[in-house]
């Protein structure tokens, strides 16, 4: 069994609220728009980090992370990318990857909107953790935590960190 923390759209921001959740898991997955190598480096010193680059990530992060991650963890096949859409509205690139790779779990970011949906047509679970950073149009900073266990996705939690504008000096 592995406990996973799923982040997206940190846009260079990492605070104590996020670090507290990193402590509680085995791996951190970042679905793009990491925003800085410092954020990736800090997470990597704490836990194993798997990630993809996002549209705001520069050449350093693009050389460190791929556009897509396709891997298996605890018997679950995962497809992770930053921009890809959601069930019924996948972009062409992701639609083709889903048909070819047949993942059980499809992870993306970009929208800044937390969304978890079953895709019955493609027999997969779609997860977008929303945005954990402080930049963007989202109102609530969010992330997802779950477990992978013998081919199953279990104990999924949607976590609200705080209203985006309500950071205080102790959160930095």
């Amino acid at each position: 069994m592995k406990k996973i923390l799923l982040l997206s759209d940190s846009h260079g921001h990492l605070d104590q609220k996020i670090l507290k959740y990193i402590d509680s898991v085995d791996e951190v997955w970042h679905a793009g728009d990491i925003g800085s190598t410092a954020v990736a480096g800090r997470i990597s010193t704490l836990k194993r980090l798997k990630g993809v680059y996002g549209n705001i990530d520069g050449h350093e992060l693009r050389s460190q992370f791929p556009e897509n991650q396709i891997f298996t963890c605890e018997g679950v096949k995962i497809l992770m990318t930053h921009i890809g859409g959601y069930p019924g509205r996948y972009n062409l690139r992701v639609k083709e990857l889903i048909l070819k790779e047949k993942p059980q779990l499809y992870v993306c970011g970009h929208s800044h909107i937390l969304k978890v949906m079953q895709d019955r047509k493609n027999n997969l679970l779609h997860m977008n953790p929303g945005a954990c950073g402080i930049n963007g149009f989202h109102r609530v900073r969010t992330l997802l935590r779950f477990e992978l266990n013998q081919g199953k996705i279990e104990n999924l939690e949607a976590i609200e960190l705080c209203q985006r504008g309500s950071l205080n000096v102790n959160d930095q």
Side-chain angles (χ1 to χ4, degrees):
M1 178 190 64
K2 286 222 172 146
K3 293 182 181 181
I4 308 296
L5 185 68
L6 179 57
L7 311 173
S8 186
D9 297 278
S10 55
H11 290 259
H13 180 79
L14 187 66
D15 61 31
Q16 287 302 313
K17 288 183 178 193
I18 298 169
L19 292 171
K20 177 182 91 169
Y21 287 103
I22 289 172
D23 286 341
S24 72
V25 299
D26 301 309
E27 291 185 4
V28 176
W29 299 353
H30 200 300
D33 279 1
I34 299 164
S36 75
T37 55
V39 166
R42 177 73 171 120
I43 293 170
S44 295
T45 65
L46 300 170
K47 299 293 168 137
R48 182 172 185 209
L49 173 63
K50 282 190 169 296
V52 294
Y53 69 76
N55 56 295
I56 70 144
D57 295 323
H59 74 281
E60 286 184 65
L61 287 167
R62 288 174 186 240
S63 67
Q64 189 176 352
F65 298 98
E67 179 180 22
N68 306 306
Q69 286 264 16
I70 299 165
F71 60 99
T72 299
C73 182
E74 295 293 313
V76 176
K77 188 170 185 182
I78 296 104
L79 165 60
M80 179 170 34
T81 195
H82 183 60
I83 301 173
Y86 54 90
R89 300 195 48 117
Y90 298 122
N91 68 33
L92 184 58
R93 178 182 62 83
V94 167
K95 187 184 285 187
E96 289 173 355
L97 278 171
I98 288 171
L99 292 173
K100 178 183 175 199
E101 299 294 336
K102 299 185 180 1
Q104 293 162 273
L105 176 59
Y106 162 63
V107 172
C108 71
H110 186 63
S111 72
H112 291 226
I113 300 168
L114 186 145
K115 189 179 286 193
V116 177
M117 300 173 66
Q118 193 70 42
D119 178 345
R120 296 193 194 293
K121 180 180 177 188
N122 293 295
N123 197 29
L124 63 82
L125 182 64
H126 160 76
M127 288 186 191
N128 183 327
C132 66
I134 57 174
N135 295 314
F137 59 85
H138 58 284
R139 296 186 141 198
V140 179
R141 299 171 53 226
T142 57
L143 46 87
L144 292 170
R145 181 170 56 182
F146 57 96
E147 296 171 0
L148 298 177
N149 188 13
Q150 298 178 1
K152 295 180 183 169
I153 303 161
E154 301 176 326
N155 300 317
L156 174 62
E157 300 173 84
I159 298 166
E160 292 185 357
L161 297 172
C162 64
Q163 295 289 322
R164 194 186 67 196
S166 66
L167 286 178
N168 63 46
V169 90
N170 296 323
D171 293 330
Q172 305 296 322

